[in-house]
Amino acid sequence: MSAEEKLKAMGLTLPPTPKPLANYVPFRRAGDIVFLSGQGPRYPDGSFAKGKVGRDVTVEQAYEHAKMVGLGLLSAAKAAAGSLDKVEMLKLLGMVNAVPEFTQQPQVINGCSDLFVAVLGENGRHARSAVGMGSLPENITVEIEAILRVLP
């Protein structure tokens, strides 16, 4: 089953590749390596999920926000590679806008990681960092960036 068919079976669709909010591009390709710019959780109307995890937002809600970011990253990955079936995720950096005492960053970023593995199979497995931040742009709950390889 192709990655696109897996998405459809999960009842998910890729959003349009998000437009940058400042002076950068959604992705940059160097040979077969692609760097995906950091993205935040966007609802279909274009608005962002906002708030501090551990105060305004639960771990479960933030997990879903990370999953939303994952869909946006997959959209950018498809634009860069031409097909999700040519994508091999290498590394994620997940940032969580959380209260200082929050320690469940890995559980939040699993929303994105779990999506990648469900859609891409073994090609979705990746190295990862999940860190807490004092703030993120626009007060978004999570921001995730990725590095991938385009397969031949």
Side-chain angles (χ1 to χ4, degrees):
M1 182 183 296
S2 75
E4 297 275 352
E5 291 168 336
K6 288 178 186 174
L7 274 170
K8 192 173 195 175
M10 296 168 67
L12 300 172
T13 56
L14 293 180
T17 302
K19 302 278 189 244
L21 298 177
N23 188 15
Y24 62 93
V25 293
F27 63 87
R28 182 76 176 180
R29 187 168 174 170
D32 63 348
I33 302 297
V34 178
F35 299 84
L36 301 180
S37 292
Q39 294 185 27
R42 288 188 196 217
Y43 293 110
D45 68 2
S47 66
F48 288 99
K50 298 181 178 192
K52 285 273 190 198
V53 182
R55 183 184 70 208
D56 312 315
V57 177
T58 67
V59 170
E60 295 78 17
Q61 289 169 317
Y63 174 97
E64 292 301 320
H65 297 168
K67 186 176 176 181
M68 288 192 310
V69 174
L71 286 171
L73 290 169
L74 287 174
S75 178
K78 182 180 177 185
S83 166
L84 287 178
D85 295 321
K86 291 181 161 188
V87 169
E88 178 186 33
M89 288 296 170
L90 300 176
K91 175 80 165 80
L92 291 186
L93 170 59
M95 298 161 275
V96 180
N97 182 10
V99 296
E101 60 275 7
F102 187 77
T103 61
Q104 295 179 284
Q105 293 86 352
Q107 291 88 333
V108 170
I109 302 304
N110 277 347
C112 183
S113 295
D114 292 348
L115 175 70
F116 285 178
V117 173
V119 173
L120 303 173
E122 284 302 310
N123 287 342
R125 296 200 181 282
H126 50 271
R128 184 183 89 177
S129 298
V131 297
M133 297 290 176
S135 68
L136 287 172
E138 303 292 325
N139 197 34
I140 56 177
T141 54
V142 297
E143 180 175 350
I144 306 170
E145 64 179 47
I147 301 169
L148 63 92
R149 182 169 75 107
V150 178
L151 302 171

